[in-house]
Amino acid sequence: MSISSAAEKWVDEAAALTKPTRTVWCDGSKAEYDRLIEDMLRDGTLLPLNERTYPNCYLHRSHPSDVARTEQLTYICSREKDDAGPTNNWMAPAEAKAKAGGYLKGAMKGRTMYAIPYLMGPAGSDMSRVGIMVTDSQYVVASMHLMTRVGSVAIQSMRRDDDFIAGLHSLGDLSPERRLILHFPEEKLIWSVGSGYGGNALLGKKCHALRLASAQAREEGWLAEHMLILGVEDPEGRVTYVAGAMPSASGKTNLAMVISSLPGWRAWTVGDDIAWMHVDATGQLRAINPERGFFGVAPNTSPKTNPNGTAMVRSNTIFTNVALTPSKEPWWEGLTPDVPSGLIDWQGRPWQPGSGPAAHPNSRFTVDASQCPSISPNWEDPQGVPISALIFGSRRSAVIPLVFEGFDWNHGVFLGSAMSTETTAAITGKVGVVRRDPMAMIPFCGYNMADYFAHWLATGPKLARPPKIFRVNWFRRDADGKFLWPGYSENMRVLKWMVERVRGTGRAEETPIGYVPAPGALDTEGLSVTPAQLREALRCDAGEWLAALDDLGQFFQGFGPRLPASIAKSLAATRRKFGA
Ligand code: GTP
Ligand code: SPV
Ligand code: MN
């Protein structure tokens, strides 16, 4: 493996700051992965799981104060504050480097620094991009092996000597007081210190593939989105590809590998978290999955809710912060109807009923995507898959109907910009609080979100056949607090209506917020939902909407004159249609 001189120089600089005992360049081989696992089993970073029922599976317990992304410690360090925008934390680059430099100085003393060349996206794709990250965490290296393409494939994909995103990661002392996740878009640089968990530490994922990639995508004319990608196959064998944005822990993994309740319909998984999309020479939107694995939420993944998900994690999987059964099998809330006795909780303590969840609510599995039974034959196609529909989904107990369709591209972009959601355990902080989350990108947009809306709007005219844009909400509840829609495998009914809309056959009714399925247009054959429940799930209430639009208007005001006129116009038009 021959490394570019720019990459070598950058890694040397990282070593000069962090002072590791030695530097190891990773080649991404199985032998390297096996050595890492052996080391981690020896020092207790990993615990072995049942070799018969979960071959080559391991359990990692992270530090109890390091269990989810920490958005309050995540910064966009653009030169100008306005370029980070009102929805991002901002720190001046020099100040950020001085502060984090203090935590990073000598942080790797006595330890090994791993330099990982990785490729985001399939080999041989013009849409793929290279990163080079260094880390002192073997858990991060092993996770990068599963989540990205590591080694010479990355080096060979560089278009120039310096064509890479540089990422410096150190565990530091794991204290939230000395933790910072910093992004320098102008320098194509990431510094992350003080966390070994998920999106804070696997720099290829949120830091590179979303925050820095979104900024790069704006410059280069493509889109980097927090989206799943799936192919929906109808009974005639025709496949329609859709991409869908949903906030963290709000259903992307589940929808990406859904097993249909409708006979003859099936889903093919292309990606479960991130989509990089570009407009091809014919004006078609195409998407690749930049990742190579899934870092998925464990709780509520079960043979009933997500059979493909449970099947794919039965071998070669690293589990983080799940509970352990006496027979050394992983366990989490919702996996089985009954709680096994003798559980050890995610912190390694005997679990007692009533002492909180046994698995951490943001416990996760890390697994190679090719182990998913529904993985699409095209998932590594260098050209990407053609996208016919886009979905914006969020978690709202009230107000937002199960599904509706934007009038056109600009209105669909408005619907995405208008998203709000109830927070989940994927982020450190309070769960269940409604917050604004345009396009599920509030934690991930690497530049001013008003400019991000403008970039989306500017993409529309480049498209020969703009994908239809849909809004979904699987999480609306009735007066008793029960979900109105059964979700999971039944979501295929909603996907089917979308496919019919794309083909021009699906029936819909116009409302102020968009097109809602006409009575009888959603396939309810064999569904246990009453017509009254379905009407309630699809209901659009003027009073509730006007209140929601007031809140949205206030949020938009924060962008000042940078907010695109089209977004403000769509908001005003919706209010008018409701009679305001
Ligand atoms: P990140 O990996 O954090 O970006 O999340 P994700 O969007 O991939 O989330 P995931 O699919 O793992 O969803 C996690 C949570 O959403 C779990 O609690 C699921 O049970 C719940 N969930 C997913 N789909 C549905 C659904 O159709 N209905 C209901 N009620 N809950 C769902
Ligand atoms: C998310 O929080 O949206 C995730 C998990 O996909 S993490 O990689 O930790 O960001
Ligand atoms: Mn995510």
Side-chain angles (χ1 to χ4, degrees), residues 226 249-254 273 300 364 395 474-475 487-488 491:
H226 192 206
S250 299
K252 291 184 301 303
T253 304
N254 279 272
D273 197 46
N300 288 322
R364 292 195 177 238
R395 199 181 260 273
W474 310 145
F475 299 91
Y488 301 107
N491 292 336

Side-chain angles (χ1 to χ4, degrees), residues 57-126:
C57 290
Y58 308 97
L59 168 62
H60 173 67
R61 295 188 183 125
S62 73
H63 190 279
S65 67
D66 184 30
V67 292
R69 282 184 297 100
T70 39
E71 293 181 3
Q72 72 281 11
L73 302 172
T74 301
Y75 289 81
I76 302 299
C77 308
S78 47
R79 280 189 295 267
E80 299 296 329
K81 184 166 196 258
D82 262 1
D83 290 338
T87 64
N88 277 313
N89 298 316
W90 176 82
M91 217 191 285
E95 184 194 344
K97 284 192 184 159
K99 204 163 170 193
Y103 310 154
L104 284 163
K105 200 170 167 199
M108 297 190 190
K109 262 187 195 147
R111 312 166 77 153
T112 299
M113 181 171 89
Y114 295 88
I116 314 170
Y118 63 89
L119 179 66
M120 299 309 289
S125 173
D126 286 347

Side-chain angles (χ1 to χ4, degrees), residues 117-184:
Y118 63 89
L119 179 66
M120 299 309 289
S125 173
D126 286 347
M127 298 174 73
S128 297
R129 293 290 183 273
V130 176
I132 299 193
M133 83 168 278
V134 300
T135 180
D136 53 4
S137 160
Q138 292 190 318
Y139 166 77
V140 168
V141 184
S143 300
M144 289 294 286
H145 264 246
L146 293 171
M147 295 301 295
T148 73
R149 295 160 178 90
V150 172
S152 50
V153 63
I155 304 290
Q156 284 156 12
S157 305
M158 281 165 56
R159 297 165 297 185
R160 294 177 311 276
D161 192 53
D162 63 348
D163 181 28
F164 61 91
I165 300 284
L168 167 52
H169 172 256
S170 171
L171 294 171
D173 63 7
L174 288 180
S175 138
E177 281 74 53
R178 280 172 296 282
R179 178 181 304 162
L180 284 171
I181 325 296
L182 306 172
H183 306 76
F184 305 89

